Amino acid sequence: MQRIQWFKWLSLVLYGIPMLLVLVFPFIVMVSTSFKTLEEVSQIPPTFIPRNPTLENYREVWNIIPLADHFRNSFLLGVGETFLIMVLGVPAAYALARFRFAGRQPYLIFLLVTQMFPAIVVVLGVFRVVVALGLLNNLAVVATTAASFSLAFCIWLLVGYFSAIPPEIEEAAMMDGDSRLGAMIKMTLPLSWPGLVAVGVFAFMDGWNEFLFSLTFISNDEMMPLTVGLFRFISRFQIQWHHLMTGSLLATIVAVALFMTVQDKLTRGMLAISEK
Amino acid sequence: MTATAEVVTSSSETASRENIWRSIVREIRENHFPYLLLIPSILCFAALVIYPLVNTMIGAFSKTDTVGRAVEFGALINFRELVRDRYILNITIQTVIFVFGSVALTVVLSLPLALILNQRFPGAALARALLLMPWAAPLAISAMTWRWIFHDQLGALNYVLNTLNITQARTAWLSDPVLAFICVIFVEVWSSIPFMTIMFLAGLQSIPPHIYDAAKMDGANAWHEFWDMTLPQLKRITIIVTLLSIIWAFRSFNVIWPMTQGNPFFRTDNSVTYLYKLAFRSLAFGEGYALAFATFVFLLIFSVVYTRVLRSEEG
C-alpha cells in the first residue's frame, strides 16, 4: 500500500503536472503577452513575466481591430447555430430515441457517414451557389452551413439524453389525455433539460470557434467573427503580438467559461455515444 | 437485345418498384409521427450535406471552369491531373503521417494522464478543468498563439529552452520543413489530448470495482491488474475514440492554416489545406473536387474496415 502511494505521487509530479503545464502553456503566454508593451514584446531575449505590466492593450485593441464587431459576429454565429441545432436536432433526436421505425437504422448510419468528409467538401460544394445568390458576407449562411455540419453529432448526443428518460412517464401523461406531442413537451423536454442545455452550449461554442466557413464566405472586416478577424490581422500587418494576444485571450475566456459550465454533462453524453 | 426481353424486365422492375413504394407509403402512413419529426433535419442535410457532396462528385468527374462549374461530364481528366500534380505524393504522405502519427501519440500520452487523473489527490477538480482548456478554446486562435510561441527571436519556446540551457540556438521552428511539420503534429496532439483523456477517464470510472477484488485475493500486482483487467475494459471505448479521432484528424484545417498555411514549400500541408489552396488560390476546382472525392472514399472504406476488424476481434 505504501508503495502504491509513493508511485502515485511520483507519476503525478513527473508526468501529470508537466503535461498539464504544456496543455495550459498557450493560455499562460496569452496572459503574459497581453500585459506587455510593444517595446517589451519586441525585445530580445523575451521576458516571461512582464516587467512593466500595462492594461493599455486592453484599451487600445478595440480601436486597432474592429474587435467589438468581431465579438458581435461570433456571438451571432453562436446564437444562430444553437437555434438551428435545437430546431432541427431536437425533433429528429426525439424520433430516433422514442420510436422504432423502418427508416431509423439507415438514418443513424447516414448520420455517421456525414462525419466522414471534411468541411471543405461542403465549402466547395456550396461556394458557387453562395456566390451566385450574392450571399457572401452573410452571417446567416455561415451559421447555417456550420450548423448542418455539426448537426449529426448533436443529434447523436441528444438521442443519448432522450433515451435516458423512461418512456413510461410519457405513457402516463398520455393516459391522462395528453397527445403524444403534448406528452413530449410536458414530460420529456423538461426532464432532459440539462442535456438540452449541454448540447445548446456545445452548438454555441461550435459557432463561436468556427473558422473555415467564415474564412471562405466572409471577406468584409465588419462581418468577420473573432477567429477570422484575428487571423486576418496577423496576415495583413506587421504582426502586433501584444494586441493579437489580448484579443485572443478575450475570445478564449468566453469559450472556456461556457464550456466549464456544461463539461460534465457533455462528456457523459459523449461517453454514451461511444458505448453504442 | 430483343425488345420483348426489355419489356419483361422493365415491367417486372416497375412491379417490384411499385411494391417497394407501396410498402414505404404504408410504413409512413402507419408510423407517420417519427417521420414528421425527421423532416426538418432531412431538409437541412439534403440542402447542405447531400447537395454539396453530389456537386463535388459530379465536379470530380467533369471538366470544370474557373468558378467551379461542371462543363462536361464523364471525364477522368481531374484524376489524371491530380496524379500528375507534383505535390500530391508529398501531400498524401504528409496527410497519412499527420493523421496516424498524431492519433497514435495522442493515445500514448492520454492513457497515462487518464490513469493519473483517476486517482484521488488534492486539486483534482482544478486539474480536470485545466485539462479541458485546449478543447474548449477556439482552435484557430490557439494555433495562432502556438505560432507566436514558436517565433524564432521573440517566442516563448526558444526562451524556455535557452533559459533551461537545453540549447542556446534561436531555432526557427516554422521555417524548417521538418521542424514545422513536427510542430503542426505537436499542436494537433495538444488539441486532441483533452477529448481522448476525458473519454479514457470516463471509461476508467465506469469499470465496476469488484472485478479487482478477486485479483487482489490472488495477490496480483499493480501491473497485472492494469494489463489484464483495466486495459481489456477500455478496449471498446478505445476503438470508438480512435476512430473518431482519425476521422477528425483527417478533417483538420484549423491547426495547420493559422500556423503555417502549409508553408514552407507545401511541406506542412495536409489534404484539406491543399484542397483549399487548389480551389481558392489556383482556381483548380476540378482537381480539388477529385481530391475531395478521393479523401471521402478513403475515409468511408477505412471506417468500415476498421470497425469490422475490431468488432470481429472483440468476438
Side-chain angles (χ1 to χ4, degrees):
Chain A
M1 215 52 218
Q2 202 60 42
R3 242 185 56 212
I4 291 179
Q5 279 299 321
W6 179 78
F7 182 73
K8 174 177 137 184
W9 288 109
L10 194 69
S11 63
L12 187 66
V13 171
L14 285 185
Y15 189 78
I17 292 173
M19 272 300 270
L20 287 173
L21 268 180
V22 173
L23 289 175
V24 298
F25 189 63
F27 308 111
I28 297 173
V29 170
M30 272 184 207
V31 174
S32 143
T33 312
S34 75
F35 288 118
K36 286 181 186 173
T37 57
L38 173 63
E39 239 172 283
E40 200 171 347
V41 163
S42 33
Q43 169 192 321
I44 304 170
T47 52
F48 203 63
I49 296 162
R51 213 166 296 140
N52 307 307
T54 169
L55 285 169
E56 198 62 0
N57 297 329
Y58 288 89
R59 208 167 51 81
E60 279 174 8
V61 71
W62 303 89
N63 305 325
I64 289 166
I65 320 169
L67 198 63
D69 288 333
H70 295 335
F71 260 99
R72 185 203 57 214
N73 297 334
S74 288
F75 180 76
L76 288 177
L77 282 185
V79 171
E81 201 173 325
T82 308
F83 173 76
L84 286 165
I85 294 278
M86 286 298 148
V87 169
L88 301 168
V90 167
Y94 180 79
L96 293 166
R98 272 292 178 273
F99 300 98
R100 296 290 168 270
F101 51 98
R104 183 176 179 273
Q105 207 56 31
Y107 197 70
L108 285 171
I109 291 170
F110 166 77
L111 291 180
L112 203 63
V113 173
T114 62
Q115 294 291 300
M116 307 277 160
F117 55 88
I120 188 84
V121 176
V122 175
V123 172
L124 279 184
V126 297
F127 185 70
R128 201 162 29 87
V129 183
V130 170
V131 174
L133 296 177
L135 290 174
L136 284 180
N137 288 314
N138 187 324
L139 283 173
V141 170
V142 176
T144 315
T145 41
S148 75
F149 200 69
S150 42
L151 181 57
F153 193 70
C154 290
I155 292 180
W156 274 96
L157 279 175
L158 287 166
V159 169
Y161 296 132
F162 284 141
S163 305
I165 294 169
E168 288 78 20
I169 294 179
E170 274 173 40
E171 278 152 26
M174 281 160 75
M175 294 268 225
D176 293 343
D178 274 316
S179 67
R180 182 100 224 181
L181 197 66
M184 168 189 165
I185 291 167
K186 245 192 233 161
M187 309 304 297
T188 305
L189 284 188
L191 280 172
S192 46
W193 190 241
L196 291 178
V197 171
V199 174
V201 171
F202 180 80
F204 183 90
M205 281 181 47
D206 201 68
W208 185 268
N209 297 349
E210 206 286 315
F211 181 62
L212 178 57
F213 293 110
S214 317
L215 185 70
T216 36
F217 293 150
I218 289 178
S219 54
N220 193 336
D221 266 359
E222 284 80 57
M223 298 309 289
M224 283 175 187
L226 284 159
T227 47
V228 178
L230 292 172
F231 178 65
R232 289 286 181 217
F233 179 64
I234 65 172
S235 34
R236 202 170 293 162
F237 307 103
Q238 165 98 42
I239 305 177
Q240 298 169 325
W241 290 104
H242 54 313
H243 290 137
L244 181 72
M245 287 300 115
T246 309
S248 300
L249 184 66
L250 293 172
T252 303
I253 286 173
V254 175
V256 170
L258 268 175
F259 188 80
M260 292 306 164
T261 58
V262 293
Q263 52 96 359
D264 199 39
K265 189 76 193 165
L266 210 53
T267 46
R268 252 182 279 154
M270 291 188 181
L271 187 71
I273 291 183
S274 64
E275 274 165 356
K276 258 176 241 153
Chain B
M1 268 301 241
T2 59
T4 42
E6 250 172 42
V7 170
V8 170
T9 46
S10 70
S11 75
S12 73
E13 240 171 48
T14 28
S16 68
R17 211 174 286 157
E18 248 165 40
N19 272 336
I20 291 168
W21 273 117
R22 206 171 297 150
S23 64
I24 288 176
V25 168
R26 194 184 330 119
E27 160 74 18
I28 290 177
R29 191 174 301 149
E30 284 169 6
N31 223 343
H32 62 276
F33 191 53
Y35 291 103
L36 274 178
L37 291 173
L38 287 183
I39 286 175
S41 62
I42 289 176
L43 287 178
C44 175
F45 282 128
L48 288 164
V49 173
I50 297 175
Y51 170 75
L53 193 60
V54 170
N55 231 345
T56 305
M57 281 183 191
I58 293 173
F61 292 98
S62 314
K63 272 187 188 160
T64 51
D65 59 15
T66 47
V67 291
R69 246 190 315 246
V71 286
E72 191 190 321
F73 186 72
L76 279 176
I77 176 167
N78 295 323
F79 290 95
R80 214 173 305 140
E81 199 74 357
L82 190 63
V83 173
R84 280 208 205 115
D85 187 309
R86 54 196 278 238
Y87 296 111
I88 197 65
L89 184 65
N90 269 344
I91 303 291
T92 312
I93 295 170
Q94 281 158 211
T95 307
V96 169
I97 297 177
F98 179 81
V99 169
F100 293 97
S102 65
V103 173
L105 273 174
T106 308
V107 173
V108 170
L109 293 172
S110 299
L111 185 57
L113 192 58
L115 288 167
I116 291 171
L117 293 181
N118 196 30
Q119 318 266 359
R120 259 170 228 265
F121 57 91
L126 176 70
R128 206 180 136 103
L130 293 180
L131 164 72
L132 291 172
M133 282 183 70
W135 185 18
L139 185 51
I141 288 177
S142 308
M144 284 186 261
T145 309
W146 278 108
R147 177 168 160 181
W148 167 228
I149 293 170
F150 288 132
H151 195 286
D152 55 346
Q153 299 296 322
L154 310 171
L157 177 61
N158 278 342
Y159 174 71
V160 170
L161 293 180
N162 294 352
T163 323
L164 295 178
N165 245 328
I166 295 170
T167 162
Q168 283 310 319
R170 296 237 162 76
T171 318
W173 296 98
L174 297 180
S175 306
D176 178 87
V178 176
L179 287 180
F181 189 55
I182 292 172
C183 287
V184 293
I185 291 183
F186 170 84
V187 175
E188 175 74 22
V189 170
W190 172 86
S191 74
S192 327
I193 282 179
F195 175 73
M196 187 85 80
T197 306
I198 212 81
M199 287 294 113
F200 278 141
L201 201 52
L204 284 171
Q205 278 160 4
S206 68
I207 298 176
H210 65 80
I211 69 161
Y212 296 112
D213 295 348
K216 286 232 173 71
M217 289 220 270
D218 295 345
N221 63 24
W223 176 250
H224 261 134
E225 216 179 270
F226 170 71
W227 196 256
D228 297 328
M229 323 213 67
T230 310
L231 266 192
Q233 292 281 329
L234 288 179
K235 192 172 169 192
R236 220 185 133 78
I237 194 158
T238 310
I239 292 172
I240 309 290
V241 171
T242 48
L243 178 63
L244 270 178
S245 300
I246 288 169
I247 291 172
W248 286 339
F250 256 104
R251 301 182 347 186
S252 175
F253 179 82
N254 294 4
V255 168
I256 294 175
W257 199 255
M259 271 181 77
T260 67
Q261 294 175 270
N263 294 328
F265 319 115
F266 298 91
R267 290 287 290 276
T268 57
D269 266 314
N270 66 357
S271 62
V272 179
T273 57
Y274 191 60
L275 231 159
Y276 183 88
K277 286 181 184 172
L278 278 179
F280 296 107
R281 292 222 173 137
S282 328
L283 299 180
F285 276 94
E287 204 186 323
Y289 289 142
L291 181 55
F293 181 73
T295 310
F296 173 64
V297 170
F298 174 81
L299 264 185
L300 196 58
I301 294 173
F302 174 81
S303 310
V304 170
V305 172
Y306 185 88
T307 35
R308 280 279 155 77
V309 169
L310 290 170
R311 280 272 157 82
S312 69
E313 227 177 69
E314 213 171 63

